[in-house]
Each structure stands twice: as structure tokens, then as C-alpha cells.
């Protein structure tokens, strides 16, 4: 594992911790898209089916379990916690995420490493992760004002993707036979979706003003 | 795909 990959994983972990912190400290999930959170929970459940079949490292296994548990806990909290669920911006979170699900699954059936149950679900999880942030970005754009923790949550998610790209570039030059086009192309698409957000995040950071997205 | 650790990323 190289430093970029590790930094990416830590950014991913940090984003989840920031989100948990926001929900617990403020007892509110305003500005957070339940649809995006549901998609992420599904991404991890579909991808880590290999927990039962392949062992890579203790690090990998622990991280997989952390991602599964934390993402399902966030969804549970937003849906079931008496206080938290009242702050959910349901009327703003209207992105039709079932289309993303259907399209990702159809693509996974067509483009995969191997036509097996596990590989199809792996490809599905990669495609779904690439677009899972869309409901969240749409929700932020609709609400206009973004609170600090929500802004940081999306920032760390984007940073995680950026480090994964550096990791792939590094692996491409240091490893023989490094070719994983499905993950790399999907990863590029996923990172590109954050470009707009990063631009406004940078502007607000530079001017030391509250993050505001244009309508 | 023959690589045993093909899916070694998270």
C-alpha cells in the first residue's frame, strides 16, 4: 500500500467521522441526503461480499467492517432516530436515486471483469459509488447555504477520491500489470463530479466566507 | 483477474 492510497482511505474515514460528529453533536441531519447515504450503504454491502471469500489484510478487513457498520448506522439514524429524523430535508432530497441504481446494475451486467455473482456486484458497487454523491450535491445546491460540517464532509469525500487517483498513477508506474480500467474510469468520473463543489469550497476558504453554492 | 489480490482496494 502506498502513501496516496492510505491518505485516501484516511480521508474517507475522516469524512464519515465528520458526518457522524455532525449528526451526534447537533442532533441534526439537515443538509444531508438520505438517498446518498442509502446508496453508500448499498455500495459497501455489494462490494465487500468478498469479506467471506478473500482475505487481503487485517487492515482491509477492519476498514471494510468499519465502512459497512458506519454507513448503515448513519442510514438507521436518519430514518429511525426520533430527534435526528425530524431535521431531514425530505422536500429537498428528491433526486430519483432508483435510476442510478438501475443504471449501475445494468452497466454492471454489461461491463464486468467476469460474469459471476461476486464480480457483477463488485462492478455494480464501483459504478454506483461514482454517482452516489449526486443526490447530496443536488440537495446542497437546492438549500444554498451549507453548514460547516456538511461542507467538510463533502470536501473530505472529494479528497478521498483525489488521493485514489494519485494512488492509481503511482501504481501504474510502480507495478507491472497494473490495469483496472473499470475502477479507474469510474473513479475519474466520480472525482469530476466534485470539481464544481471544490471550486466553490476553495473560493469560500480563500475569502473566509460561508460556503454558498449558486442556485 | 488471475491476480489473487485484484480487488485489494477499498
Amino acid at each position: 500500500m502506498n502513501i496516496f492510497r492510505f491518505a485516501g482511505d484516511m480521508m474517507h474515514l475522516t469524512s464519515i467521522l465528520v458526518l457522524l460528529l455532525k449528526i451526534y453533536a447537533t442532533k441534526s441531519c439537515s443538509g444531508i441526503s438520505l438517498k446518498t447515504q442509502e446508496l453508500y450503504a448499498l455500495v459497501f454491502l455489494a462490494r465487500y461480499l468478498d469479506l467471506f471469500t478473500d482475505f487481503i489484510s487485517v487492515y482491509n478487513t477492519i476498514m471494510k467492517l468499519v465502512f459497512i457498520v458506519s454507513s448503515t448506522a448513519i442510514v438507521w439514524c436518519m430514518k429511525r432516530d426520533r430527534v435526528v429524523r425530524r431535521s431531514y430535508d425530505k422536500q429537498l432530497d428528491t433526486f430519483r436515486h432508483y435510476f442510478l441504481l438501475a443504471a449501475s446494475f445494468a452497466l454492471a451486467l454489461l461491463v464486468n471483469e467476469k460474469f459471476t455473482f461476486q464480480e457483477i456486484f463488485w462492478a455494480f458497487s464501483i459504478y454506483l459509488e461514482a454517482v452516489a454523491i449526486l443526490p447530496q450535491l443536488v440537495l446542497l445546491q437546492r438549500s444554498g447555504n451549507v453548514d460547516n460540517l456538511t461542507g467538510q464532509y463533502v470536501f473530505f469525500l472529494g479528497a478521498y477520491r483525489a488521493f485514489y487517483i494519485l494512488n492509481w498513477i503511482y501504481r501504474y508506474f510502480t507495478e507491472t500489470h497494473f490495469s483496472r480500467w473499470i475502477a479507474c474510469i469510474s473513479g475519474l468520473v466520480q472525482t469530476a463530479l466534485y470539481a464544481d463543489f471544490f471550486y466553490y469550497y476553495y473560493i469560500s476558504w480563500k475569502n473566509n466566507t460561508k460556503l454558498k453554492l449558486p442556485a | 483477474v488471475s491476480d489473487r489480490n485484484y480487488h485489494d482496494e477499498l
Side-chain angles (χ1 to χ4, degrees), chain A residues 56 113 119 122 167-168 171 180, chain B residues 1 4-10:
Chain A
I56 291 160
E113 295 290 347
E119 285 295 332
W122 180 84
N167 153 56
W168 292 327
R171 292 186 73 164
R180 44 188 82 206
Chain B
V1 195
R4 203 172 55 87
N5 287 340
Y6 187 75
H7 297 318
D8 63 347
E9 290 178 350
L10 291 165

Side-chain angles (χ1 to χ4, degrees), chain A residues 63-76:
Chain A
M63 291 292 272
K64 284 172 178 172
L65 291 173
V66 167
F67 286 144
I68 290 174
V69 171
S70 57
S71 64
T72 46
I74 288 165
V75 170
W76 184 87

Side-chain angles (χ1 to χ4, degrees), chain A residues 1-19:
Chain A
M1 184 163 60
N2 59 65
I3 187 72
F4 303 113
R5 155 80 198 283
F6 183 68
D9 286 348
M10 290 304 112
M11 293 289 159
H12 199 181
L13 203 57
T14 306
S15 74
I16 292 173
L17 288 177
V18 166
L19 183 53

Side-chain angles (χ1 to χ4, degrees), chain A residues 149-184:
Chain A
L149 286 172
T150 305
Q152 276 151 18
Y153 165 65
V154 180
F155 170 80
F156 280 115
L157 265 182
Y160 142 61
R161 295 316 313 179
F163 275 110
Y164 255 69
I165 289 181
L166 294 176
N167 153 56
W168 292 327
I169 294 170
Y170 181 85
R171 292 186 73 164
Y172 179 81
F173 287 109
T174 55
E175 289 175 28
T176 47
H177 309 301
F178 179 78
S179 65
R180 44 188 82 206
W181 298 112
I182 291 181
C184 291

